[in-house]
Amino acid sequence: MKLHMYLALVLAGLCAVAQGAPKKKQTGNLGNVLYIGDSITHGFRAPSYRWALHKILVDNGIQYEEIGVITGNHSSGGGVEPNTLYIGQPFKNVHAAMSGQRAYETSGRDHEKHQKANRMESTDIFDWLEIEGKADSDKLRLGQVPDTCLILLGTNDTVSDYNPIAKDISTVQRNLLDKKKGDLCVIVDAIRSVNPKARVHVLSVPAWGDMPKNNSPKDYEAVVKKLNAAIAKRFKKEFVDLNVGLVDIACVEKPGKAVAEMMNPQDKLHPTRHGDMIMAGLVARALGIAGRSAGMPRKAGSAFALNAQSLFGAATEKTGAALEGQAVTLEPAAKLAAPWAAEDDAKSGFSAELSLSLGDGARNGWKKEPLVSFSVGNGVHSGTLQISECYYMWNGKVLYPCDMSKNREAVRVAWIPGSEAQNVMKGFYVWLGDMLIGEGLPDAPGAKLSGVALENLSDLPVKVNGLAADPSSLAPASKAVVKEAVSVVYDEEAPAAAAAPQEKK
């Protein structure tokens, strides 16, 4: 069967919205984009957040040109080949990032150490930008001026170079952030010297997992909180906090440690593909760009075919569930289950959305176990989103940490047929607001639900403020999208032949 989905490939412009968005209006063209960083940007056993961000930019019709002095990923175990296509658009995989890179190497501060390491042929920001009087090498020059620059440095300057970090964090902070000589400041100033209008963002030093060294609560506190707070203070609106979506808020014994699912299980330092996706979503928000659509049309939950009232009225099971307007109250152990209507053909994809707050945060200790389950299926594919006081989960794995007592964003689950040729993964997708937090997720084991089911697994009443479903695969609406057009055909049963090297699974 042919499944027709629509892709937003053309935008007249974008409005700056969402957390961390800049004030000036997004034009739909980022110009020359330069990524600067270490192995996290280079991509270690994963394509890096750059690949995930490429998908967001393509989904929103954003024009940009990758520039850099290095091509590819550091590790072949999980990277993508240069010019891999995503919905017809090549990811050049070009950047200025190298495994092990230090901020002082990029800024050119410590030539002796840099020459010894010889990373990126011992060149620095002044060589790349060909800054007269400061460039001392003819190697690795950009040949182009960056219009947008994303800088993610500091992990090796802290986690790799000091043990314990907490003892020397003041030295690290001074080396990175001194207004005149600090490495990050020198790098930003160099970019602005060749393009005063360049849009520059400095990304936070990301959280890490249970790696052998620098693993005390004081070390996490020193980097994830103290150092990043100083970076945020120095760069203000140019700062992007990646740890909003990486830090395990329920890990009270080591505040600041990353969620295990976000980190590579082998080294517990580099992000997984899932971690890369979360990082890219947060960067997109800072750029004022809407989240991923995965080639799906966008529609607000309020415009879905089925709302709480119609789902409640058609329910085959509504034990302990009460409806007030469009809000549903679930008593302890309550369940609401509604099938698709006879005229709805959910086989071509389906979506469901709900909005709720839950629990009391950390006040009485985090309840990590699922308190609410939200299931949706078409009889062939079905999946369940589990929600606790601190996590959104899928088949027991954490998708995103969130203090549900403060949550005000709707969460959406959709099944998408995908396309190997387009590099769109088949499976379930989950959005929080318009930010993608789950991609190509597998079916839930066991029964194949056909319809929507909502269950209260806790011992307290739960109020769901919004509930909706639609027999179509739909991405969330976003104020950042001004105009959408162009369509793409997905065929679950017979995907088209690949037109370019494919993403390695």
Side-chain angles (χ1 to χ4, degrees):
M1 65 189 153
K2 294 287 184 181
L3 305 178
H4 297 269
M5 308 300 171
Y6 297 90
L7 166 68
L9 281 178
V10 180
L11 292 182
L14 294 175
C15 298
V17 298
Q19 179 181 331
K23 287 185 177 179
K24 70 177 184 179
K25 188 176 181 180
Q26 176 58 255
T27 62
N29 191 337
L30 296 180
N32 293 329
V33 176
L34 175 63
Y35 298 95
I36 296 176
D38 49 36
S39 56
I40 294 173
T41 300
H42 198 170
F44 186 79
R45 296 193 178 98
S48 92
Y49 80 93
R50 297 178 293 108
W51 169 239
L53 184 59
H54 173 74
K55 296 178 182 179
I56 295 175
L57 299 178
V58 172
D59 276 346
N60 289 289
I62 305 297
Q63 298 176 19
Y64 81 112
E65 182 71 26
E66 297 165 73
I67 62 173
V69 295
I70 298 288
T71 302
N73 300 120
H74 171 63
S75 171
S76 59
V80 294
E81 296 295 328
N83 295 315
T84 296
L85 296 183
Y86 172 73
I87 309 188
Q89 301 300 311
F91 172 60
K92 293 184 179 179
N93 207 345
V94 178
H95 52 88
M98 176 65 77
S99 180
Q101 186 79 354
R102 271 69 169 168
Y104 65 74
E105 294 171 338
T106 305
S107 71
R109 174 168 59 86
D110 198 325
H111 283 281
E112 186 176 337
K113 284 186 178 180
H114 195 183
Q115 291 290 337
K116 187 176 180 180
N118 199 31
R119 278 181 278 268
M120 282 194 270
E121 299 186 30
S122 302
T123 58
D124 56 41
I125 188 71
F126 300 104
D127 298 313
W128 307 340
L129 297 173
E130 303 178 53
I131 295 179
E132 188 175 352
K134 292 188 177 182
D136 58 11
S137 173
D138 292 327
K139 301 174 182 177
L140 300 184
R141 296 196 169 192
L142 285 170
Q144 295 164 294
V145 174
D147 300 299
T148 302
C149 186
L150 298 170
I151 303 167
L152 203 175
L153 285 167
T155 298
N156 287 304
D157 302 76
T158 53
V159 179
S160 298
D161 288 355
Y162 292 94
N163 189 15
I165 302 171
K167 182 180 178 181
D168 296 290
I169 195 63
S170 296
T171 301
V172 174
Q173 185 172 317
R174 182 174 62 253
N175 288 340
L176 289 175
L177 298 173
D178 180 86
K179 197 167 185 179
K180 293 184 178 180
K181 299 180 180 179
D183 300 317
L184 291 176
C185 298
V186 168
I187 294 166
V188 171
D189 289 345
I191 294 164
R192 291 261 163 77
S193 73
V194 298
N195 184 1
K197 295 183 179 180
R199 189 178 198 174
V200 182
H201 284 281
V202 179
L203 281 54
S204 65
V205 177
W208 63 96
D210 286 319
M211 59 179 297
K213 68 175 185 176
N214 293 313
N215 202 23
S216 73
K218 287 184 178 180
D219 290 327
Y220 288 106
E221 183 83 21
V223 175
V224 177
K225 292 188 178 179
K226 185 175 181 180
L227 177 59
N228 281 322
I231 298 174
K233 184 177 180 180
R234 170 67 71 207
F235 293 102
K236 299 181 174 63
K237 293 179 181 179
E238 296 169 326
F239 176 75
V240 181
D241 187 2
L242 303 176
N243 291 311
V244 170
L246 297 180
V247 165
D248 188 343
I249 60 175
C251 185
V252 295
E253 66 275 11
K254 291 179 182 177
K257 186 174 82 71
V259 173
E261 284 81 358
M262 307 292 183
M263 295 293 108
N264 186 291
Q266 293 173 294
D267 60 34
K268 298 180 174 64
L269 176 63
H270 295 91
T272 59
R273 287 169 181 262
H274 189 86
D276 285 338
M277 178 184 65
I278 299 301
M279 290 166 59
L282 294 167
V283 171
R285 284 189 169 189
L287 292 171
I289 294 170
R292 285 277 310 278
S293 70
M296 301 300 101
R298 296 184 186 272
K299 183 181 284 189
S302 58
F304 273 16
L306 305 168
N307 58 23
Q309 201 162 25
S310 56
L311 286 167
F312 198 88
T316 55
E317 182 178 357
K318 45 188 173 185
T319 308
L323 181 69
E324 297 180 14
Q326 289 300 323
V328 177
T329 300
L330 300 172
E331 295 300 326
K335 185 174 183 179
L336 172 67
W340 297 112
E343 63 270 20
D344 290 331
D345 181 16
K347 291 180 181 179
S348 61
F350 50 90
S351 309
E353 181 176 290
L354 84 163
S355 176
L356 81 167
S357 299
L358 194 64
D360 58 4
R363 188 182 306 170
N364 294 304
W366 293 104
K367 293 182 177 65
K368 300 181 183 181
E369 68 279 2
L371 301 178
V372 171
S373 71
F374 184 44
S375 303
V376 59
N378 65 354
V380 178
H381 301 287
S382 61
T384 298
L385 181 70
Q386 302 151 325
I387 307 171
S388 73
E389 281 192 339
C390 48
Y391 303 133
Y392 287 101
M393 295 174 283
W394 192 268
N395 293 347
K397 293 185 177 181
V398 176
L399 299 181
Y400 195 80
C402 179
D403 182 347
M404 287 302 299
S405 68
K406 299 178 180 178
N407 179 56
R408 298 295 180 270
E409 294 188 287
V411 63
R412 179 174 299 188
V413 178
W415 185 80
I416 293 176
S419 167
E420 290 184 15
Q422 303 288 356
N423 256 322
V424 180
M425 297 174 68
K426 171 184 175 180
F428 283 93
Y429 285 63
V430 180
W431 288 267
L432 182 59
D434 76 344
M435 191 174 89
L436 190 67
I437 62 171
E439 175 186 24
L441 301 172
D443 289 8
K448 296 298 182 183
L449 172 72
S450 181
V452 177
L454 183 62
E455 189 172 3
N456 182 0
L457 307 174
S458 75
D459 55 5
L460 294 172
V462 170
K463 185 176 182 180
V464 176
N465 300 315
L467 177 63
D470 198 286
S472 302
S473 299
L474 298 166
S478 174
K479 293 179 181 178
V481 176
V482 176
K483 184 179 180 181
E484 306 181 287
V486 185
S487 65
V488 64
V489 175
Y490 293 157
D491 187 344
E492 180 191 0
E493 295 178 352
Q502 297 303 294
E503 180 178 358
K504 296 177 182 178
K505 300 297 187 285

